[in-house]
Amino acid sequence: MLKQILNKFLILNDVQAAIVIEENGEIIQSIKSGIVINEEIQNVIATIMLDSKKTAAQFGNASLSMVFIEFSDYFLILGPVMEEFYLVIIAKSTANIGQITYEMKKNQDAIVSLL
Amino acid sequence: MIDQLPEGKSIGWMQAPPQWIFTHTVRFIGVVRVVIQDGEGFILIKKGKPLMYFFKHGRIELRGHAALDYFNSHPTIEFNLCKYTPEEFAHALKICDVEENQPEPAEMQEQAPVAPAREEAAEEPAAELQEMSPAEHLPAELRETPEPEREIPGTPVPEIPVAAVPVKPVAAVTERVFVPQPAVLEDPDIKIIGQIKKLNGIVAISVFNDDRNILLMGDVEIEPLLKIARTMLATADKITPVLYWGSFVHMTLQIPEGNVIIAPYHENHLCILTTRTINIGHIRRILRDLQQDRSQGIRL
């Protein structure tokens, strides 16, 4: 079921991967196309999750809504779905970020119900 | 605003680090007119206490700590000390909408380098200055290459020992000493930053490097913001070498109150604080364009 939801992201133009991941770096479910999710990427995602959570806390203990890191070829969007679980989208820089974030919000409850 | 200020009695043009102004004006009441490239500004001072900072370049206006930060971002600045009579000073206060006896604005109190320096100078200013030759006040690089032709002969300085490098009025200066200023922004940069600041939803924008804030536009406390920006930069620095996704364009952290965005900018970095309603796509395009222009070697 989770895979079906993640597939909604993968069909978006230039999206390469959709991953539900735990804060400790453990991948709960992922779906990808044309990209390898290796240990290095897992570590990168874990670093972003932990660092960003700490950074957001510097704003008077604010909760983290989303992190967006862009490079010249790819970008990564990470959003919390529930306590220690995050949804991560990796896409080419040509992908439509507005569409991706819209789908993230739209499918959050469905993902939570499956965790 | 600058044009409305009383002219005052010019004591002379000088070139010195901005901090010099605060440590050498403990008996001065008047305005310090600052000229940086094509922009001009002023610091209204009463006996070493800065009451207002202002700088204008084209349509960009900096006030308070933003203007002070910009002054401080230059190793040396060129300025004219203009002494006011009590009447002129009262008029200037009115124009600046500042009360004479009001405590320093909170934004000015944040400027740690200013207050301690002023307090130290207030203890024994005259004696300390009289014991030192004018050359001892100069920055080392200027002491080594004195420019006697820049002195204004016979300029009486009854209340303020002119210890900085006196220079001729701007109109009369034919040669300028260019001190290397690696962290100083060029005019087009300031224009670009100003344009970004004007976009809907931008609360503040800062240009910073590893050591300090170089330019700030917007009414925020810079230190807490820079602390967050540097934490984000550390995260980006950790992951960039691991990923082969091209050059780093930006990192955006979204919290319920808004967004913090960091991005490379020449040899420095940008930090942008926005409201939640900002059009991220628009900002993203601007940041990408800035990087593309940079990689193509076009000077912004």
Side-chain angles (χ1 to χ4, degrees), chain A residues 1-6 8-9 18-21 28-29 79-82 85-89 103-115:
Chain A
M1 260 314 264
L2 192 52
K3 215 156 193 162
Q4 282 176 359
I5 294 171
L6 294 182
K8 291 181 182 177
F9 293 94
I19 306 160
V20 174
I21 190 167
I28 306 299
Q29 187 64 270
V81 282
M82 60 181 283
F85 296 90
Y86 292 80
L87 172 62
V88 178
I89 306 295
E103 287 294 334
M104 285 174 82
K105 283 172 194 160
K106 194 173 130 189
N107 289 289
Q108 181 167 352
D109 289 345
I111 294 170
V112 169
S113 68
L114 295 168
L115 290 174

Side-chain angles (χ1 to χ4, degrees), chain A residues 40 44 48 51-52 55-56 58-59 62-75 90 93 97, chain B residues 228 231-232 235 238-240 242 245-257 260 276 284 288:
Chain A
E40 281 182 338
V44 162
I48 297 168
D51 284 9
S52 301
T55 309
Q58 291 181 41
F59 281 96
S63 59
L64 177 67
S65 302
M66 194 175 286
V67 185
F68 177 27
I69 302 187
E70 182 165 7
F71 296 83
S72 51
D73 301 332
Y74 293 90
F75 65 76
I90 298 170
S93 57
I97 182 178
Chain B
I228 288 163
T231 311
M232 290 169 67
T235 303
K238 265 190 268 181
I239 64 171
T240 303
V242 181
W245 291 0
S247 55
F248 173 59
V249 177
H250 72 98
M251 176 175 182
T252 299
L253 185 80
Q254 193 173 76
I255 56 169
E257 290 79 11
V260 184
R276 186 67 187 263
R284 185 184 166 217
R288 288 187 76 88

Side-chain angles (χ1 to χ4, degrees), chain B residues 4 92 96 107 125 194 213 236 240 248 262 266 278:
Chain B
Q4 292 174 295
C96 296
E107 57 182 10
N213 177 58
T240 303
F248 173 59
I262 58 156
H266 302 312
I278 189 80

Side-chain angles (χ1 to χ4, degrees), chain B residues 61-63 65-66 107 197 202-206 216-222:
Chain B
E61 287 189 0
L62 304 175
R63 290 163 192 262
H65 64 232
E107 57 182 10
K197 171 66 181 72
I202 303 286
V203 178
I205 179 165
S206 151
L216 171 69
M217 291 184 191
D219 192 16
V220 293
E221 282 191 43
I222 187 62

Side-chain angles (χ1 to χ4, degrees), chain B residues 62-127:
Chain B
L62 304 175
R63 290 163 192 262
H65 64 232
L68 177 60
D69 281 347
Y70 183 62
F71 296 151
N72 282 335
S73 70
H74 295 74
T76 60
I77 56 173
E78 200 165 333
F79 55 89
N80 184 11
L81 291 162
C82 297
K83 188 183 161 188
Y84 277 159
T85 62
E87 291 74 22
E88 286 174 325
F89 187 67
H91 187 207
L93 288 173
K94 198 177 280 183
I95 288 167
C96 296
D97 198 21
V98 176
E99 284 180 25
E100 190 174 348
N101 296 319
Q102 75 179 22
E104 283 187 65
E107 57 182 10
M108 291 184 184
Q109 288 171 359
E110 291 164 20
Q111 304 304 320
V114 176
R118 189 168 59 245
E119 283 162 16
E120 282 166 25
E123 288 172 8
E124 256 191 2

Side-chain angles (χ1 to χ4, degrees), chain B residues 160-171:
Chain B
I160 305 163
V162 182
V165 185
V167 295
K168 294 172 186 172
V170 171

